[in-house]
Amino acid sequence: MSDYETVSADVEHEDEIPADHPRYQDLLTRHRIEKGVEKGITHLQGMHAEGRGSAFDYLLGEETIPSADAAERAAAAHLLLADHPVLSINGNVAALVPAEMVELADVVDADLEVNLFNRTPERLEAIADHLRGHGADEVKGLEADARIPNLDHQRAKVDEDGIYAADVVLVPLEDGDRAEALEEMGKTEIVIDLNPLSRSPRVADVPIVDNIVRAVPNTTAHARNLADASEAELEVIVEEFDRERALEAAEERIRTGL
Ligand code: ATP
């Protein structure tokens, strides 16, 4: 049995988690979600979402599989081609990858918009502050002056000059109803979700079946590599990406380990 078999649940700071622990990334992720709940950034339900994600990640081998890497490259191409790309932030995203989302937004020139399932003014403000603390200049989602059609009132709230007007949206860990409603609005939708059977990746133009802690930095790396690519080259990457094949490859890895 490893010395690290048990890592105390009351680790105060993530530096206390041994970096060579075999489950390091999972422990770090759990710790960040717990801190997110403590800070009022993440809803308690976010912990359940994290638990589901963690089980799928275990079965994927806790690595970015080749089809996910291809999806991340296609996502980078879509974001670079977009007229008005927006990255949507919820409580889990803010807790897990705040600096990484700010960096991606910088590289592809996108807006950041807070969009919550369990929406309260306190959580909206806490998340916006948290993002600003990680370098964001402007955070959208506080105005909520437009509505996504065909969704109940609370979940439909978006900014008119943000998600409402966007042509390409990155919606990580999105709830299925909202993902469907955004798709119906005709947006190009990029979803990050570890469950390939969940409704959100199934309606996405680009389903990324990968842990958000790997997916966002890898998408940024692709965007940097593609910074000098022509529009025609980016369009070829978008055309060649096969969403059905990506979903099938992820499901096969989870079911068979292959
Ligand atoms: P549906 O999309 O059909 O409504 P659901 O109810 O399971 O499915 P939610 O609870 O709304 O979905 O969202 C949680 C989703 O986020 C799960 O599919 C889970 O696998 C995924 N998830 C959780 N943590 C991560 C993570 N770190 N990276 C990527 N995906 C994650």
Side-chain angles (χ1 to χ4, degrees), residues 29 49-50 52-54 56 92 96 173-177 192-195 198-200 210-213:
T29 304
E50 177 54 33
R52 277 201 292 284
S54 163
F56 285 110
N92 282 46
L96 292 176
L173 285 56
E174 182 58 282
D175 109 86
D177 291 339
I192 302 173
D193 195 313
L194 278 159
N195 178 3
S198 187
R199 275 180 305 153
S200 320
D210 198 5
N211 196 320
I212 190 170
V213 301

